[in-house]
Amino acid sequence: MPAIRQKLLDWYDEAGRDLPWRHTRDPYAVWVSEVMLQQTRVETVIPYYQRFLESFPTPQALAEADEDAVLSCWSGLGYYRRARLLHAGVREVVAQYGGKVPEDADARRALPGVGRYTAGAIGSIAFDKEEPIVDGNVTRVLARLLRIETQVGTSATTKRLWSEAAQLVPGERPGDFNQALMELGAMICTPKRPRCDSCPVTEQCEALARGEVERLPVKRERRPPTEVDLAAVVATRGRGADRQVWLVKGNQPLFGGLWGVPMAEDNARAALTEAGLRARLASAPVGEVEHVLTHRRLRVDVYRASAAQGSESDTRRPFTIEDLEKVGISTLTRKVLAATFRG
Ligand code: SF4
């Protein structure tokens, strides 16, 4: 472990990029930079970071600013929730701690928008505390260096990564060490084609020794979507230009508050009954559509039913084909209607 630590620090001193936030130990400025760097590229962040600190040079200045001014300074950086949380967190620092970011790790972590990562970055970089940080770059570096073979994103792997990072961080310059780990992930130990020949810790790297660099870290497996068979019924009344289609609202938990045609698992008759409609149901489907949601693949047999009747309410009524364009209907229902009326 000490060898890894020293080699990374020496490499960072020589090869680390000269970035504006690396010239400060002001916890407020470190905080701003860390929040901006979440999900955003370093080159994009630099001018925003500088402008933001010119506009709001202290926690007091940010706390006093109104939200519009803060968001306008953030404008173009995206993920505005980050700016709102930073604003809220800094307001709390001013209200609770007289404008001084707390040195105590628990107090820092209790601030709005400050998770374990941001708290650790502020603690190690600004206060020289031996607090670990784990982000995407650190995850990749540690998974390869220590040959962690479990899936990233599971709670067991997350726990292991934080524990490994916590074992590495104690010693001199914990903030620089954390930044060295992240810098290695950003510059050398990259997701694709890592530059192992320029890496300062090749001798310690277990993945390299075993030729498993490309295999690690192990991505989390996505479960294949569950297949669901549904029957949808396009129940109409009237003919030609007067034709109307019955839609119901809220009977499909999958589609929230949108209007949709009656549907039920594998049974067209049940779909009509559940929707409170009586109609002449065709014996065979007119078509089939497929619809993929995050965890489900829906296979839907589409049936027609005519002379449909039912009582009208806020959640059940017939629409003319023209009116269908004006109400919120689910994508699946759109597909079902297209399969029914095509041609
Ligand atoms: S040797 Fe290669 S895989 Fe190992 S830490 Fe260095 S860059 Fe990453």
Side-chain angles (χ1 to χ4, degrees):
M1 287 290 182
I4 291 180
R5 221 181 168 283
Q6 197 52 51
K7 284 183 175 185
L8 277 174
L9 275 173
D10 290 346
W11 170 80
Y12 180 67
D13 288 342
E14 202 175 303
R17 289 167 293 178
D18 182 15
L19 301 172
W21 45 88
R22 291 188 175 160
H23 293 281
T24 182
R25 310 267 312 256
D26 171 5
Y28 166 66
V30 171
W31 188 358
V32 170
S33 70
E34 289 299 335
V35 174
M36 285 188 168
L37 285 164
Q38 287 162 21
Q39 286 133 344
T40 310
R41 292 158 54 84
V42 162
E43 304 77 55
T44 310
V45 167
I46 292 172
Y48 281 93
Y49 169 80
Q50 287 164 332
R51 264 201 310 271
F52 196 89
L53 287 182
E54 275 161 28
S55 303
F56 313 111
T58 61
Q60 284 79 3
L62 182 60
E64 281 164 18
D66 64 34
E67 190 168 273
D68 285 347
V70 177
L71 293 181
S72 125
C73 207
W74 201 275
S75 173
L77 204 49
Y79 303 100
Y80 294 94
R81 188 165 175 270
R82 293 181 300 175
R84 290 200 182 88
L85 285 171
L86 173 66
H87 196 200
V90 168
R91 281 188 162 164
E92 185 146 326
V93 162
V94 170
Q96 299 275 338
Y97 304 102
K100 277 189 164 14
V101 178
E103 277 200 40
D104 178 69
D106 290 338
R108 243 180 293 128
R109 260 201 242 169
L111 295 168
V114 177
R116 200 170 174 186
Y117 169 83
T118 309
I122 300 171
S124 62
I125 297 169
F127 298 126
D128 236 358
K129 302 244 183 202
E130 292 169 341
E131 292 177 28
I133 55 175
V134 174
D135 70 347
N137 282 325
V138 174
T139 295
R140 188 168 54 257
V141 170
L142 292 183
R144 288 173 176 167
L145 206 48
L146 307 174
R147 196 166 164 262
I148 296 174
E149 294 189 284
T150 52
Q151 284 175 25
V152 163
T154 59
S155 58
T157 307
T158 303
K159 213 167 150 193
R160 163 108 194 257
L161 287 164
W162 279 94
S163 144
E164 298 288 359
Q167 287 179 53
L168 280 167
V169 77
E172 53 159 354
R173 301 163 60 199
D176 283 346
F177 173 73
N178 280 338
Q179 294 193 82
L181 261 183
M182 290 195 286
E183 189 78 345
L184 190 78
M187 306 301 293
I188 304 285
C189 195
T190 47
K192 288 192 187 127
R193 288 193 290 277
R195 295 164 46 212
C196 298
D197 49 353
S198 309
C199 178
V201 284
T202 42
E203 281 168 35
Q204 284 76 24
C205 182
E206 294 186 32
L208 184 69
R210 294 175 185 246
E212 294 178 347
V213 172
E214 300 289 344
R215 194 175 69 81
L216 297 171
V218 178
K219 290 213 187 78
R220 190 168 195 170
E221 264 172 33
R222 299 259 167 244
R223 270 189 295 133
T226 316
E227 309 264 338
V228 182
D229 290 318
L230 290 172
V233 183
V234 178
T236 56
R237 73 177 186 192
R239 288 172 179 279
D242 292 332
R243 185 168 55 191
Q244 291 181 307
V245 180
W246 283 87
L247 297 186
V248 289
K249 199 175 184 175
N251 85 323
Q252 304 161 29
L254 294 173
F255 301 109
L258 296 172
W259 288 95
V261 295
M263 282 185 219
E265 266 192 50
D266 221 8
N267 187 331
R269 179 57 65 193
L272 277 176
T273 309
E274 280 170 24
L277 294 173
R278 278 166 289 115
R280 272 205 304 274
L281 180 65
S283 55
V286 288
E288 186 187 315
V289 300
E290 199 176 88
H291 189 65
V292 180
L293 300 161
T294 320
H295 301 296
R296 281 180 247 212
R297 183 190 303 277
L298 311 180
R299 270 202 313 255
V300 186
D301 283 335
V302 181
Y303 289 80
R304 291 186 81 145
S306 56
Q309 292 174 34
S311 57
E312 295 185 28
S313 71
D314 288 347
T315 55
R316 176 177 55 219
R317 72 183 184 86
F319 290 83
T320 62
I321 303 294
E322 212 179 17
D323 281 348
L324 287 176
E325 297 301 322
K326 299 177 197 148
V327 290
I329 59 177
S330 67
T331 308
L332 174 54
T333 286
R334 272 182 208 289
K335 288 186 188 172
V336 167
L337 293 172
T340 311
F341 298 125
R342 123 179 6 124

